[in-house]
Amino acid sequence: MSAHNVNTDSPDEIILQEEEPQGPVQSGRSIIIKVLISLGLGLLVYLIPMPESLPPAGHKFLGLVVAVIALWVTEAIPIGITALCAASGLILFGIQSANKAWSPFSSPAVMFVLMIIMFGVVLNEVGLANRIMSWVFKLAGRGVMRLSFVMAFSCTMLATFLHDATVTVIMLFALVPVLRAMGITPAKSNNLSKFFIILIPLAASAGGFGTLLGGGRNPLAVEILTKYTNGAIKVGFLEYMIIQFPLAIFTAVATWLVVYMIFRPKEKELPAAVAVEQMPPMRGKELAVCVIFGLAFLLWGFSDLTGWHVSVVAALALAGFCGPKFVSFKTICDKFPWESWIVFGAGVSMGQAMLDSGAGKFLAEQFLPLLQGQHPFFVYYGMGFFGSFLSSMMSNSAAVALTLPVTLPMAEMLNMSPQAVALLAPITTSFIMLVIGCPPTIIAYSTGYFSQTEFIKVAVPWCLVLLLLSVISVLVYWPMIGFY
């Protein structure tokens, strides 16, 4: 059976899983034990005496977030349910008001991600996902090493200009039919499927810092730097790209290497049966959807001129898809991975609570001063690790907004370059260690091909290696171009 046939015959299998996606079925006893351990860890953190500099709400938040992370990692209960409990816990323990706890679920960023994931359903429904994979096979062939390298490199480079969630959705929707054509379903996931499904979101996430278009954290870091230096230091679009983009080339290669080493598949080449046959010329719904996609990307690129939020453009594009019935909105809703969107909303809610409760500021004040007096390499690595740690639990923009007000004064005290410290933040907050860290990884997790434990197995070393690579690149490349 070809990938094309799978897509045509049963496209709903691509998103809606008939099998239990989160690994083997757990016994009731196992679930109870995991839940009790998670709650016990949260209670233990809450009972530990904390300094007066940590507000009571922040103390409660730290206890709650430890319990929630433990529940997410152990998968004692579905992560979507844990996400809803996390927001409810913010209200129950008086950390946030009900309005503040739930409003992030409808924030512009969360709504944009919702619509971006819907784009993926549209791509699949009209057959474009299959065509994209056909192009990938033509470019890279069926050899696993070359194919995966091309996919990883493409994801990282595309993510420097496009939203990493968009890149992830396009590539995942193109790849999953190929895996299913090979008989590899979530219940039968092996190293080959885990390798590809985890590689795509990590590669996309690794490139988001390359240009100012790659993510909100990039212009935010530049803005904070300009304000901190009272306008003395400004970084323009082209200058930012010269400073950051070359580093994305290294992160692309390193991402491929790390994931390949950990989930090294035994297959050297994909079977000839999955190769997509010669595609007919694009016409009808495919062509119309392509044109609408093109217009959407164009409008996103000119958003600074139009002043339109990216979510507005996404909504107009969906209207363009569904209005002429290229895809029915009911089909999109039926095949939408709602759990991933709920988890992302909870992540944004928890991140906002970390800021509002003072827990984030407390952690920054406790950890970052430990770096004073250390070698510049360790200072940069430590700052980067803290940014990655925060970014694993909140949006990377929030992590940048939280760390820079602490690290920039530190840089001044340590006679370090403030521009180097500022532009390091969007790089390191691209590397996350938990599935909940960013939309691409949550979207990939929703396919059901890997567990959270398996993700952590690769994400932690991936994060540490890319931090190391980035710090070395910063210390070598930036002085070469006279950045600092």
Side-chain angles (χ1 to χ4, degrees):
M1 180 181 291
S2 71
H4 178 72
N5 289 336
V6 170
N7 178 48
T8 303
D9 295 342
S10 54
D12 54 337
E13 291 181 354
I14 293 170
I15 284 297
L16 299 178
Q17 308 298 339
E18 295 176 357
E19 306 89 351
E20 176 59 40
Q22 281 84 38
V25 176
Q26 305 179 76
S27 66
R29 182 181 178 185
S30 171
I31 293 173
I32 292 172
I33 291 174
K34 288 177 180 177
V35 169
L36 289 177
I37 290 175
S38 300
L39 296 179
L41 288 172
L43 183 62
L44 179 64
V45 170
Y46 180 67
L47 292 177
I48 295 175
M50 292 285 178
E52 293 183 356
S53 57
L54 177 64
H59 195 173
K60 293 178 184 175
F61 173 83
L62 291 180
L64 177 65
V65 77
V66 166
V68 168
I69 290 175
L71 285 172
W72 265 329
V73 172
T74 60
E75 298 173 308
I77 54 179
I79 65 169
I81 300 299
T82 302
L84 295 174
C85 291
S88 300
L90 294 174
I91 304 167
L92 179 65
F93 298 115
I95 301 168
Q96 290 282 54
S97 67
N99 186 46
K100 282 193 172 182
W102 292 117
S103 59
F105 282 77
S106 59
S107 68
V110 176
M111 293 306 297
F112 175 63
V113 168
L114 177 143
M115 290 181 268
I116 285 296
I117 299 175
M118 288 183 172
F119 277 26
V121 180
V122 174
L123 280 173
N124 183 60
E125 286 301 305
V126 300
L128 274 173
N130 201 47
R131 189 177 294 278
I132 290 169
M133 204 61 210
S134 169
W135 291 335
V136 172
F137 275 132
K138 281 185 180 176
L139 176 66
R142 291 181 288 108
V144 171
M145 283 191 70
R146 180 174 174 177
L147 176 65
S148 59
F149 181 81
V150 169
M151 291 181 73
F153 197 79
S154 301
C155 285
T156 303
M157 293 298 105
L158 286 172
T160 61
F161 294 96
L162 304 174
H163 197 285
D164 49 12
T166 309
V167 175
T168 299
V169 165
I170 291 173
M171 297 307 291
L172 280 180
F173 272 78
L175 177 69
V176 169
V178 174
L179 295 176
R180 287 189 170 271
M182 296 171 63
I184 305 175
T185 63
K188 300 175 183 174
S189 188
N190 56 19
N191 268 20
L192 180 71
S193 54
K194 290 170 187 171
F195 166 59
F196 274 108
I197 297 291
I198 294 178
L199 176 67
I200 289 172
L202 291 186
S205 182
F209 65 88
T211 74
L212 286 175
L213 298 176
R217 60 194 178 282
N218 307 334
L220 179 63
V222 171
E223 181 183 343
I224 292 175
L225 174 64
T226 302
K227 286 182 178 177
Y228 180 77
T229 58
N230 294 317
I233 300 177
K234 296 180 180 179
V235 180
F237 183 92
L238 184 59
E239 184 183 6
Y240 181 94
M241 189 170 169
I242 293 172
I243 294 167
Q244 303 284 59
F245 185 82
L247 303 186
I249 297 173
F250 297 109
T251 58
V253 176
T255 297
W256 175 78
L257 274 174
V258 171
V259 183
Y260 186 83
M261 293 296 293
I262 294 176
F263 284 111
R264 186 169 186 168
K266 63 180 181 182
E267 294 85 351
K268 302 296 182 189
E269 189 172 84
L270 300 184
V274 303
V276 181
E277 58 264 30
Q278 186 67 33
M279 299 293 292
M282 194 182 297
R283 60 169 62 90
K285 290 190 292 187
E286 261 190 302
L287 190 58
V289 167
C290 259
V291 170
I292 294 171
F293 263 118
L295 289 174
F297 288 135
L298 197 63
L299 287 172
W300 282 330
F302 287 102
S303 58
D304 286 343
L305 295 176
T306 63
W308 294 2
H309 189 266
V310 288
S311 60
V312 174
V313 177
L316 291 175
L318 284 170
F321 300 143
C322 299
K325 305 294 184 186
F326 299 139
V327 181
S328 80
F329 189 61
K330 183 177 184 307
T331 300
I332 293 176
C333 293
D334 286 346
K335 298 175 180 177
F336 187 86
W338 292 101
E339 187 177 56
S340 62
W341 179 70
I342 291 171
V343 172
F344 182 56
V348 176
S349 180
M350 296 293 281
Q352 187 60 49
M354 180 180 263
L355 291 174
D356 294 345
S357 68
K361 183 181 178 184
F362 169 77
L363 291 175
E365 290 174 345
Q366 299 302 309
F367 175 73
L368 293 175
L370 298 176
L371 302 174
Q372 292 186 25
Q374 304 296 324
H375 187 278
F377 172 83
F378 295 107
V379 175
Y380 282 121
Y381 195 91
M383 288 179 175
F385 180 82
F386 188 71
S388 296
F389 170 75
L390 289 181
S391 191
S392 298
M393 293 182 288
M394 61 174 66
S395 77
N396 38 38
S397 294
V400 168
L402 179 64
T403 56
L404 283 185
V406 180
T407 55
L408 283 175
M410 274 185 60
E412 192 173 24
M413 286 189 294
L414 298 174
N415 200 27
M416 296 170 66
S417 161
Q419 53 265 47
V421 170
L423 292 199
L424 180 70
I427 299 174
T428 58
T429 52
S430 300
F431 316 141
I432 46 88
M433 292 176 269
L434 297 174
V435 164
I436 59 171
C438 65
T441 51
I442 296 171
I443 293 168
Y445 177 77
S446 71
T447 64
Y449 277 90
F450 61 87
S451 68
Q452 294 206 57
T453 305
E454 289 167 334
F455 179 80
I456 291 172
K457 176 182 172 184
V458 65
V460 171
W462 169 74
C463 179
L464 297 177
V465 169
L466 264 65
L467 281 175
L468 178 66
L469 179 68
S470 299
V471 170
I472 293 175
S473 300
V474 163
L475 293 174
V476 174
Y477 172 64
W478 285 357
M480 286 173 61
I481 60 173
F483 177 49
Y484 76 88

